[in-house]
């Protein structure tokens, strides 16, 4: 990716981030400003300590999705960006530069036919973290109403750091 393309994508990222940021759940600690691994660890430890205090069993299921960043479906993320009313020009630039990619394999002096790339976020691209977070929200919203642990009247059933997820439940 050229330096000019990186600068252009950085400008677009700054323009669309204020529309994407409200869509990212509190449970996501990866790629979020002022959050990180220490926050996720603190929350998880606090949940476990509280459960021990009230003598409740806590069940944790740790999930690390295989090649999660490579599996982002372009059509789904474009649909999501349209629903957020991302400016048409920005959306066209993202589609053209980011999604409309082709690739071929070269072995020795032979090159295969070019194939369209329809999945995955680009490694090292400034847009990739935000696009991945938005995409993962589509999946995780299906869990919103599933029971987890009640803390202060709030149901907490998952905690995430980028593509690493902890599903949380208690025995009732």
């Amino acid at each position: 990716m050229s330096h000019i393309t990186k600068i252009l994508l950085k400008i677009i990222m700054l323009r669309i981030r204020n529309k994407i940021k409200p869509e990212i759940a509190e449970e996501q600690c990866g790629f979020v400003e002022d959050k990180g691994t220490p926050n996720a660890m603190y929350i998880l430890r606090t949940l476990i300590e509280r459960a021990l205090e009230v003598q409740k069993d806590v069940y944790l299921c740790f999930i690390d999705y295989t090649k999660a960043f490579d599996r982002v479906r372009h059509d789904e993320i474009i649909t999501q960006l349209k629903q957020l009313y991302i400016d048409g020009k920005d959306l066209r630039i993202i589609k053209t530069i980011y999604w409309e990619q082709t690739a071929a394999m070269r072995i020795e002096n032979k090159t295969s036919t070019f194939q369209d790339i329809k999945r995955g976020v680009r490694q090292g691209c400034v847009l990739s973290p935000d696009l991945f977070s938005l995409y993962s929200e589509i999946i995780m919203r299906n869990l919103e109403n599933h029971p987890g642990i009640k803390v202060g009247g709030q149901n907490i059933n998952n905690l995430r750091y980028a593509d690493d997820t902890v599903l949380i439940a208690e025995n009732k």
Side-chain angles (χ1 to χ4, degrees), residues 4-58:
I4 298 296
T5 302
K6 288 179 183 181
I7 292 168
L8 178 61
L9 290 174
K10 177 79 172 182
I11 292 167
I12 291 172
M13 180 200 68
L14 293 172
R15 291 189 345 195
I16 68 173
R17 184 169 270 170
N18 62 351
K19 291 184 180 180
I20 291 176
K21 191 175 179 179
E23 298 298 316
I24 308 305
E26 285 293 316
E27 293 86 3
Q28 178 61 269
C29 294
F31 309 130
V32 177
E33 194 174 329
D34 298 326
K35 283 189 179 180
T37 306
N39 298 90
M41 298 301 292
Y42 174 78
I43 293 167
L44 193 57
R45 182 182 174 138
T46 302
L47 287 173
I48 293 169
E49 287 175 356
R50 288 217 178 152
L52 289 171
E53 285 173 9
V54 297
Q55 297 180 341
K56 287 206 174 208
D57 292 332
V58 178

Side-chain angles (χ1 to χ4, degrees), residues 65-123:
Y65 301 101
T66 304
K67 299 191 181 273
F69 294 89
D70 295 334
R71 301 207 189 279
V72 173
R73 291 182 43 210
H74 294 177
D75 56 340
E76 290 288 332
I77 199 70
I78 292 298
T79 300
Q80 198 68 9
L81 290 171
K82 285 179 183 175
Q83 289 174 353
L84 293 177
Y85 301 106
I86 300 300
D87 181 73
K89 291 176 186 175
D90 290 340
L91 195 57
R92 278 194 307 276
I93 291 170
I94 292 169
K95 286 169 76 173
T96 301
I97 292 175
Y98 201 85
W99 302 133
E100 295 181 6
Q101 304 174 65
T102 58
M105 302 260 310
R106 185 181 341 182
I107 301 172
E108 294 178 5
N109 292 331
K110 296 181 181 180
T111 303
S112 69
T113 58
F114 280 83
Q115 301 290 319
D116 292 333
I117 299 172
K118 297 181 181 182
R119 292 189 320 184
V121 291
R122 294 178 83 160
Q123 186 174 359

